[in-house]
Every structure is written in structure tokens, then in C-alpha cells.
Amino acid sequence: MTAQTHGSNAFGAGLPPAFLRAGSSSFAEFLTQVAPDLLPSSRATLSDATELSPHGTTIVACTFPGGVMMAGDRRATMGNLIAQRDIQKVFASDEFSLVGIAGAAGIAVEMVRLFQTELEHYEKLEGAPLSLDGKANRLAAMIRQNLGLAMQGLAVLPLFAGWDTAAEQGRIFSYDATGGRYEETAFHAVGSGSVFARGSLKKVYSQQLDARACAMAVIQALYDAADDDSATGGPDLARRIFPVVMQATPDGVSRLSDAETSEIAGEVVAARMERPDGPAAGVI
Amino acid sequence: MSSPFYVAPEQQMKDRADFARKGIARGRSVAVLRYAEGILFVAENRSQALHKVSEIHDRIGFAAVGRYNEFENLRIAGIRHADMRGYAYDRSDVTGRGLANAYAQLLGTIFSSGGEKPYEVELVVAELGPAPGTDQIYRLTYDGSVADEEHLAVMGGSAEVITDALDAGYRDDLSLAEAVRLAVRSLGSDAGPDKPVRELGPDSLEVAVLDRSRSQSRKFRRITGPALQRLLDDAPTAG
């Protein structure tokens, strides 16, 4: 019997022999065996492809007692043009974790889909979810796979955060293009406006902030990023487009409603009318 | 050179079917039934780790009886099939009918090929529809035949007796607690209609639902421990 393992057969009707073979609980590994053309990293590029894909920009995250908050602006750029005004760059990767993406948007969105499937696949096969560290490591492996494309200008740099059910705290992980994984304490930002966002969070963040104050802090940070980085979009009051803000808590992942984010963004904008540089921190 | 004995194809199929049926009859039973808010799976299973009931995809659940290694293999293949389709196309393109067909082809091919022994398993693939009337329960047997069950399906050794007990108390507007109690009582009456009903506690039950009222896209939920005990204790409603 010949094994029909490649091409459309793998996701058509029937169960080819490869589906019944013993293997690991990783969906990405299974995909590598039966349909490698579906992997985000399967694109072949020979030269610089930076100009071909829109880029996502700034993602920020911070922890609070009882959870972790993540927010992303809504802009995607292609060179000096705005490719999309209302792109979503923060996603739930499963019931207790969030992933935000900066970098080549096309590959990043596909990587998020693969990552979501990977986590769910493992959970269904094993009957228990991966640990938060396990999830962070799986994401690192996917970025490592993408190194070839990163060198062609299609780097994907996610920010990963989630509620650690074992340690009972919110945690944040950042990555580099080679798949290096780094745990961050308290807060972090990635993407083109991250320098300004991090500077902003440094001044307003404290461990005592509650969930709402954290949502305010991340929107302030995105405002500061948009203020100084042309690739990051600020709140669009005319079109009613506001940052995507999501949180992971012991109750699971949830997205702040448009009403909530527009209210917080409204407060931030009103305060900036008084003081355009945002809240002032003491000099000592 | 001696020539092999001639065995009529009818006899060959009958032997294989008897072999598979014997294997299946050894195990404890599983009941799958529709209730007001979704589809309920109840298995008599003393292991908390080796499942007979499982999630396949957002709206699709799986239940099996027979040889554990065989149906576990089929379960994993089903999850791979569903996740692969959901990833290559879209989550909404994963259907219970597609999965039931894939299982049917596989089981049918193995049953009628002379080389391999037939699988000693029986499966249910259940899919939650958008509205109560649109739920599907597909029941697959070892030879790859598929039955589209209206309200309920029972598999395992004493399937007939249990089906009769379930049929007697079944309504399609059962609440979850009523449906769980009916299924547990029916699984316990496997000795026959006039024999005493065995008491089955949470430790010997595996219960899960595809719950339409769940807000998440993944509708499958296991009911264990105290939550299951509460459903079993729930005082029967009059009427």
C-alpha cells in the first residue's frame, strides 16, 4: 500500500495511513510530516521581501495582581503607507494565554493560527493543557523555524503572556528572531514603537495597579508610542477605532469591549488635551 | 503443494463479524443522547485517565467501546483529521459527517481486507447543530456501516437492554440533570428489565456534554467530581 501523505489528500476526505501512525502530540510536527506546504515557514524567497508584507507595529503587556493585560494598536504599514487601520494584532492563543504580534503581518497571523491549533491539539490528545512554560517554548520553536524568512526581512516578533494556573500569576515572554525566549517581569513592549511604549510604562506602571488601571497604562503607552513612531496608530476618534485590549485571568481570557476601550481612550485623550505629554512623574 | 481450504465469502465475513462482536461485547457500555441544550455522553468507566469519551473539535464529540488501543488510535486520527481541515480551510468547515465518513471508509476497508484483523470497536461521532433539531448522532460499527441515530445511541455488551431502558424514559426536552440520571439508571439496568438496577457513582462514570449554551466556540465539557454528584443527587422533578 502506498502512503498518501502529501498534498491535498492529507486534508481531504478519509484517513490516510499517516493519521494512524504513532507520533507526538504536536500538530506542527504532524503538519511537517503530512502537509509541509501548509506551514507558515514554507515560503521560498530568494531575496529581500520586506516590501511585500505589511508590518504590524506596537504591542504592550503588563501584569497586575490576578492577571495580565495585553494591548496592541490597530495600524499595519507598508513602507511609508498605512496598509490597514483596524488590524487585530492581539489574540487569545487558548483559554489562558494571549499572543500579540509585531513584524511581517501575513506570516505572523498564520503563525498565530498554527499556534492556536497546536495548543488545542495537544490539549485534546493529552487530555490536559500544556504548562505556560510549555506553551512559551512551543512558540519559540515556531519562530526558530521562521529564521530563514526573518533573514529575508520577514521576521515575526510576538509577545506572549498568560495566566500560569500552577504558579497562580500572570507572566510575560518576549522573543528574538532566532527563537530566543525571555521572561519579562512586570511589563514589556515589542515592535517599532516599543522603545517609547516601554519608556512610558516605566513611568506609570506599579505592581499595585488593578485591572482597569493596567488597561489605562497600556493605552497610555500606546498613545506615547503613536506620538513618536509614525508606524504606530493612536486612538482614531473619528472612525471609532481603539486599541485591542485583552486580559488573561484565572477565569480565562477576555477582550475588553469596544465601549470600555473607547471610554478609557477617551479619558486618555481628554487628559492629553490638558497635558500633551501625558501624566507627569516626579523627578525623584 | 497443498491447496488452501476454500472458505465461502459469506462465511469469512460472518466469522470476522463474530470475532469483532465478541470483542466489543466484553466492555462496559456507553450511552449518547440528545437533551434540551445539547448532546450528553455517559460511559461506565472506572478509569479516570483512560477515556472512552473525547472532544474532537468545536462542536464534535467522540465516544467508543471495544479495544482501548484501537479506538484511541481512531480518536487521535479523528482529532488530526479535524484540526488539519480546520487549519487548512476554516474551523466551520470541520463537520461530523466528514469525520463519520472518514471513519466508515477506514473501518470498512480493514473489515473486508483479508490481511488485517477487523477492529473490535464501535464508535459514535456526535455533532452539535446550531439549533436543537439539527444535532447529529452517527453510530459506526466495526464493519464500517454508519447509522444516523434520531435521539440516542447505546454501544457495548448490553446495548439492547440499555437501549430499551433509555427509550422508555426518553423525551427530547430532558434537562441535563434528568438526562444524566436517565442514562445512569439505564446503564445500571444492563442485567435485564426485571433485575435490580446497579448503583453507579461518580467514580465509575465518565460524563461529558456538547453544550449549546456554552459561550466559547469549543462546546465540549467534561462533568466530573462534585458537579457530577450534584446532577446525580438532583431531586427528580414531578410530572
Side-chain angles (χ1 to χ4, degrees), chain A residues 10-12 14-15 18-21 23-24 27 30-31 34 38 40 95 113-114 117 120-121 123-125, chain B residues 55-57 73-77 79-81 83-89 91 102-103 105-106 119 216 218:
Chain A
F11 50 95
L15 294 170
F19 283 57
L20 290 152
R21 219 167 283 148
S24 77
F27 180 73
F30 178 64
L31 211 54
V34 301
L38 291 179
E95 212 182 323
R113 250 160 55 78
L114 180 61
T117 311
E120 185 189 322
H121 190 78
E123 190 184 325
K124 289 190 290 197
L125 252 48
Chain B
E55 172 186 13
I56 296 281
H57 204 253
N73 211 3
L74 291 171
R75 181 184 79 93
I76 290 173
I79 292 172
R80 285 172 171 171
H81 170 91
D83 282 346
M84 177 74 102
R85 283 184 76 94
Y87 180 71
Y89 301 128
R91 295 188 79 87
Y103 280 143
Q105 278 180 32
L106 181 77
Y119 273 34
Q216 288 98 321
R218 289 167 69 182

Side-chain angles (χ1 to χ4, degrees), chain B residues 35-78:
Chain B
Y35 70 102
E37 278 304 311
I39 301 170
L40 168 70
F41 303 81
V42 181
E44 186 178 351
N45 186 355
R46 288 174 202 283
S47 166
Q48 302 297 313
L50 306 174
H51 296 304
K52 290 182 176 178
V53 174
S54 164
E55 172 186 13
I56 296 281
H57 204 253
D58 288 353
R59 316 184 69 90
I60 304 173
F62 170 97
V65 293
R67 279 180 87 94
Y68 179 78
N69 70 314
E70 291 179 351
F71 69 69
E72 174 67 4
N73 211 3
L74 291 171
R75 181 184 79 93
I76 290 173

Side-chain angles (χ1 to χ4, degrees), chain B residues 4-20:
Chain B
F5 290 114
Y6 171 75
V7 183
E10 292 88 349
Q11 187 60 41
Q12 213 170 42
M13 290 298 121
K14 191 178 168 300
D15 288 351
R16 292 172 76 83
D18 285 346
F19 168 79

Side-chain angles (χ1 to χ4, degrees), chain A residues 49-69:
Chain A
T50 319
E51 297 301 309
L52 296 179
S53 172
H55 275 239
T57 46
T58 311
I59 306 290
V60 295
C62 65
T63 58
F64 57 92
V68 57
M69 189 79 67

Side-chain angles (χ1 to χ4, degrees), chain A residues 60-146:
Chain A
V60 295
C62 65
T63 58
F64 57 92
V68 57
M69 189 79 67
M70 187 184 281
D73 73 305
R74 306 295 291 271
R75 184 171 288 179
T77 57
M78 275 181 98
N80 62 327
L81 297 179
I82 292 169
Q84 200 181 347
R85 295 178 208 287
D86 60 351
I87 191 174
Q88 184 183 349
K89 296 183 281 187
V90 177
F91 303 89
S93 41
D94 69 356
E95 212 182 323
F96 292 102
S97 65
L98 301 165
V99 60
I101 46 164
I107 296 174
V109 169
E110 214 174 308
M111 200 181 276
V112 167
R113 250 160 55 78
L114 180 61
F115 186 51
Q116 288 167 331
T117 311
E118 173 85 7
L119 298 186
E120 185 189 322
H121 190 78
Y122 180 95
E123 190 184 325
K124 289 190 290 197
L125 252 48
E126 298 284 325
L130 274 166
S131 65
L132 193 68
D133 285 292
K135 293 173 195 173
N137 287 338
R138 282 310 302 163
L139 186 56
M142 283 178 198
I143 298 161
R144 207 175 305 133
Q145 294 267 309
N146 198 54

